[in-house]
Amino acid sequence: MVGGQFWSIYIPGEIKDSGYARVQLEQFDIARQVIAKYPERLQWALTADAIRSAFKAGKIGSMLGLEGGHAIENSLGALRVYYDLGARYMTLTHNVTLDWADAALDAPKHGGLTNFGKEVVHEMNRLGMLVDLSHVSPGTMSDALDATEAPVIFSHSGSRELVDHPRNVPDSILARLPKNGGVVMVPFVTSFVSKEVHDWEGAQTAATNEAKQRLGNDSAAVARAMDEWKNSHPQPKATLGQVADHIEHIRKVAGVDHVGIGSDFDGITDLVVGLEDVSKFPDLFTELARR
């Protein structure tokens, strides 16, 4: 019963020794080849009507999303060409702050969006490309909500009230979604949905820094020290119930029309117990129905 799927087209924003365009174009080509390879299951979709048509045909309407505004290289012309190639959302940043937008996991430089960043949002609105606010700072979230004339999405973000991870969405932003019409799509990223996993990762980082400071450049010794630390501090597991907690919280604050599923299976290696692959989606819906 999955009717639509965004396939994320992503290149790391940290790579700055050459232009992004060639690699990004190759990613578009790969994604479109994959969709074309499985016509019995997948159907290329550029509009909402096309998704409904695919669903009626028993296929998954397949859309492309551009994950990271670094790919446009400060060019509205490049943004328009990516739209023509099939991009129907763009995440304003990935993990790196841009010349025009602050990222969640990088140092802020602009306090949100610059004037050019607002132009990017306006042009996306004009084209009909969804503004994706996952990966951006709270300031960018707020500025984008001020600038946009269309509903936004958060393609893979949880609730910051439940887990204080910078990739999650504060309640103050969730409360603005009913007026905007946007949707927060809850991911299966363990450190986003489980406070215990998030805290463990913070402790692991602190232990690694301490080991490096104590052992210097001896990478083998640091690795041994961290193996010992992990043996005495086993990693906790995120659960299906915790994912449901995030969906419930967003439903409570933003409303039932403003929460979705943004699994991020292609971006994770550590898996939520009970949500190991797409065959487990019904188990999540069963838990929500039970609640």
Side-chain angles (χ1 to χ4, degrees):
M1 297 297 287
V2 173
Q5 167 74 35
F6 271 115
W7 307 98
S8 293
I9 306 173
Y10 158 71
I11 53 172
E14 291 84 353
I15 301 172
K16 295 182 178 178
D17 56 346
S18 62
Y20 297 113
R22 180 182 63 81
V23 180
Q24 191 69 80
L25 291 172
E26 289 173 350
Q27 295 284 351
F28 270 92
D29 177 61
I30 290 167
R32 293 186 62 164
Q33 284 192 60
V34 170
I35 293 167
K37 187 175 180 179
Y38 301 100
E40 73 283 359
R41 296 292 182 91
L42 306 180
Q43 184 169 309
W44 176 238
L46 294 174
T47 65
D49 284 344
I51 296 167
R52 295 187 182 100
S53 174
F55 186 66
K56 287 177 182 176
K59 300 178 182 182
I60 297 174
S62 295
M63 305 161 283
L64 303 183
L66 198 61
E67 189 166 348
H70 54 278
I72 70 171
E73 299 184 44
N74 299 340
S75 167
L76 295 180
L79 175 69
R80 288 188 282 269
V81 171
Y82 288 135
Y83 179 84
D84 289 342
L85 291 172
R88 288 300 179 265
Y89 81 71
M90 184 174 76
T91 319
L92 294 188
T93 73
H94 195 248
N95 291 335
V96 176
T97 286
L98 307 180
D99 292 337
W100 48 273
D102 289 338
L105 299 182
D106 199 0
K109 294 179 181 176
H110 318 294
L113 287 175
T114 67
N115 287 335
F116 178 74
K118 294 169 187 175
E119 284 187 53
V120 170
V121 170
H122 292 152
E123 185 63 4
M124 292 172 72
N125 288 165
R126 189 190 71 81
L127 290 168
M129 186 187 292
L130 288 166
V131 175
D132 176 21
L133 299 180
S134 284
H135 278 288
V136 307
S137 71
T140 300
M141 295 176 192
S142 183
D143 284 353
L145 285 170
D146 289 342
T148 187
E149 297 176 33
V152 302
I153 63 168
F154 292 78
S155 60
H156 52 308
S157 295
S159 159
R160 193 174 292 195
E161 180 70 18
L162 297 189
V163 180
D164 190 19
H165 193 293
R167 279 281 285 97
N168 286 339
V169 186
D171 275 5
S172 59
I173 298 294
L174 292 179
R176 297 182 62 181
L177 287 184
K179 183 178 180 181
N180 168 264
V183 176
V184 177
M185 303 165 77
V186 174
F188 305 161
V189 183
T190 57
S191 61
F192 296 4
V193 298
S194 168
K195 183 179 185 301
E196 292 77 13
V197 174
H198 178 53
D199 291 347
W200 181 88
E201 288 191 354
Q204 180 190 36
T205 300
T208 302
N209 292 337
E210 187 277 329
K212 288 178 178 178
Q213 190 172 24
R214 177 165 47 86
L215 299 169
N217 294 325
D218 190 342
S219 57
V222 171
R224 286 194 299 272
M226 289 312 301
D227 285 341
E228 292 174 6
W229 184 89
K230 290 176 185 176
N231 286 335
S232 59
H233 300 79
Q235 181 176 353
K237 296 291 186 182
T239 66
L240 180 153
Q242 290 173 319
V243 173
D245 291 342
H246 283 258
I247 293 172
E248 260 199 302
H249 181 82
I250 294 166
R251 177 181 66 89
K252 183 176 73 173
V253 177
V256 71
D257 294 324
H258 307 286
V259 62
I261 305 294
S263 56
D264 201 27
F265 275 127
D266 63 341
I268 56 177
T269 52
D270 186 30
L271 299 171
V272 173
V273 175
L275 288 170
E276 291 82 7
D277 58 52
V278 294
S279 74
K280 305 291 187 178
F281 273 34
D283 294 343
L284 177 58
F285 300 141
T286 298
E287 171 62 14
L288 295 172
R290 184 191 68 76
R291 294 182 181 202

